[in-house]
Amino acid sequence: MSKVYREAGVDVAAGYRAVDLIREAVRSTDTAGVLGEFGGFGGLFAPDLTGMKRPVLVSGTDGVGTKLKLAFSIDKHDTIGIDCVAMCVNDVLCSGALPLFFLDYIACGKLIPEKIASIVSGVADGCRQSGVALIGGETAEMPGIYNGNEYDIAGFCVGVVDLDNRIDGKAIHPGDLIVGLPSSGLHSNGFSLYRKIYPHPSPEWAAELLCPTKIYVKDIRKLRERVTLKGLAHITGGGWIENIPRMLPNGLQAVVDTTAMPVPEIFSKISRDGRIPLREMYNVGNMGLGLAICLSPQDAEKSGCPVIGTVEEGKHGIVLL
């Protein structure tokens, strides 16, 4: 192994060891479309396009943001990969696409094989929850860019949808209803604010804040078997205020009742401890809402999901009641 490279801060042998440790986790995500062997220069995937007239690829990429700082603080890395998968997959879902495969990128100051394996175990967990294959990735040891114990993770997801079945909001009309699917907690946005409020969280509180982002693939697949989804909004950075209007055509606004879904106590505590008006929190966090879905009144009733608002004519945007 290269002694001079190791002395410069890059341990090639550790990289080989990390690959060996993640091999089983990666293989556990294989689906019918995966081609080729683990460790190639590119990931190969053969999608099943049966029944599709005009298949369209839908892609999404994202990271986890400063939520990573909490993982560093308590040395817990086995769920952060779930967050990375969720942030990408949930975005791809909003076009009506079925996610197919995922790739990750991990950059670190010092490559510790066991830590990389823990991170990738979370990525693999998220992929299994989503029904997607982890077909490739990259781990980069970058001393001088990252501090020794720190890393960053980003992901990239590709899905497919028949062009005639995509969800683009064009079918939304005044009188349609907005229903919600609950979040599992804070998900993966707002953490620059949360860390300002809790600069030195206890291990117990940090672990609660780290609760991984919910993945909605199975929920949406079940809903699409019963109802027609007219619009989908993934509630991430910008909270309700920015994201719900993103599924609406121009000339329509969402009128949303903030009392229609219970606000989880974790958000109320953050609001109290940070002296942030609860209403302002709707511009930061998901406040218990993971996905907002636009349906006809008839389908809203069949969905079994709580109705949180209506679609009305007006300036494009949102009115919070």
Side-chain angles (χ1 to χ4, degrees), residues 13 15 34 91-92 102 104 128 160 181 187 204 270 283:
V34 176
D91 278 356
V92 166
F102 186 84
D104 63 3
R128 290 190 298 269
V160 65
L181 291 179
H187 285 186
E204 296 76 16
I270 290 170
N283 200 27

Side-chain angles (χ1 to χ4, degrees), residues 265-304:
E265 174 56 29
I266 193 168
F267 290 101
S268 300
K269 176 176 170 54
I270 290 170
S271 176
R272 292 192 303 268
D273 293 348
R275 297 182 180 180
I276 302 168
L278 195 60
R279 197 172 186 83
E280 176 67 18
M281 293 287 290
Y282 286 88
N283 200 27
V284 178
N286 65 65
M287 302 302 283
L289 176 65
L291 279 185
I293 307 168
C294 190
L295 303 169
S296 69
Q298 296 82 3
D299 278 345
E301 183 176 347
K302 290 190 292 184
S303 73

Side-chain angles (χ1 to χ4, degrees), residues 19-275:
V19 170
D20 287 337
L21 290 175
I22 67 175
R23 188 181 305 272
E24 184 175 342
V26 173
R27 295 273 66 148
S28 74
T29 72
D30 279 1
T31 62
V34 176
L35 304 175
E37 295 298 321
F38 173 82
F41 286 97
L44 281 70
F45 192 90
D48 181 0
L49 305 178
T50 304
M52 291 192 180
K53 296 179 180 179
R54 293 193 290 172
V56 176
L57 296 179
V58 180
S59 61
T61 185
D62 210 337
V64 180
T66 60
K67 187 174 186 177
L68 287 168
K69 286 286 191 178
L70 291 170
F72 304 159
S73 72
I74 59 173
D75 197 26
K76 179 175 171 58
H77 311 284
D78 59 341
T79 62
I80 210 74
I82 300 175
D83 289 296
C84 189
V85 175
M87 295 301 287
C88 299
V89 166
N90 290 342
D91 278 356
V92 166
L93 279 178
C94 290
S95 297
L98 175 67
L100 298 175
F101 59 83
F102 186 84
L103 295 92
D104 63 3
Y105 173 78
I106 302 168
C108 58
K110 180 174 177 57
L111 197 157
I112 302 172
E114 292 74 16
K115 182 183 287 188
I116 297 297
S118 182
I119 299 166
V120 175
S121 74
V123 175
D125 189 352
C127 287
R128 290 190 298 269
Q129 290 182 40
S130 308
V132 304
L134 178 57
I135 65 169
E138 171 70 6
T139 301
E141 190 171 18
M142 302 169 65
I145 299 294
Y146 297 93
N147 293 330
N149 292 322
E150 296 190 347
Y151 60 87
D152 196 8
I153 180 171
F156 178 82
C157 179
V158 172
V160 65
V161 64
D162 195 320
L163 188 62
D164 295 332
N165 293 326
R166 75 190 189 280
I167 300 172
D168 58 8
K170 291 181 179 178
I172 298 175
H173 301 291
D176 286 335
L177 300 181
I178 300 170
V179 304
L181 291 179
S183 71
S184 57
L186 302 177
H187 285 186
S188 298
N189 59 279
F191 280 86
S192 294
L193 173 62
Y194 308 149
R195 290 189 306 105
K196 181 179 179 181
I197 299 170
Y198 307 107
H200 304 290
S202 68
E204 296 76 16
W205 182 232
E208 188 171 347
L209 296 173
L210 272 175
C211 178
T213 306
K214 181 174 173 58
I215 293 171
Y216 293 97
V217 175
K218 294 178 181 178
D219 302 83
I220 294 302
R221 292 185 74 169
K222 289 178 181 177
L223 272 175
R224 295 195 84 175
E225 292 173 358
R226 306 197 306 269
V227 300
T228 299
L229 309 184
K230 293 188 172 188
L232 279 170
H234 182 200
I235 311 304
T236 56
W240 294 30
I241 292 173
E242 178 181 347
N243 289 292
I244 292 178
R246 291 172 67 180
M247 66 177 170
L248 301 177
N250 288 331
L252 297 180
Q253 64 179 357
V255 179
V256 182
D257 181 0
T258 57
T259 67
M261 289 186 71
V263 176
E265 174 56 29
I266 193 168
F267 290 101
S268 300
K269 176 176 170 54
I270 290 170
S271 176
R272 292 192 303 268
D273 293 348
R275 297 182 180 180

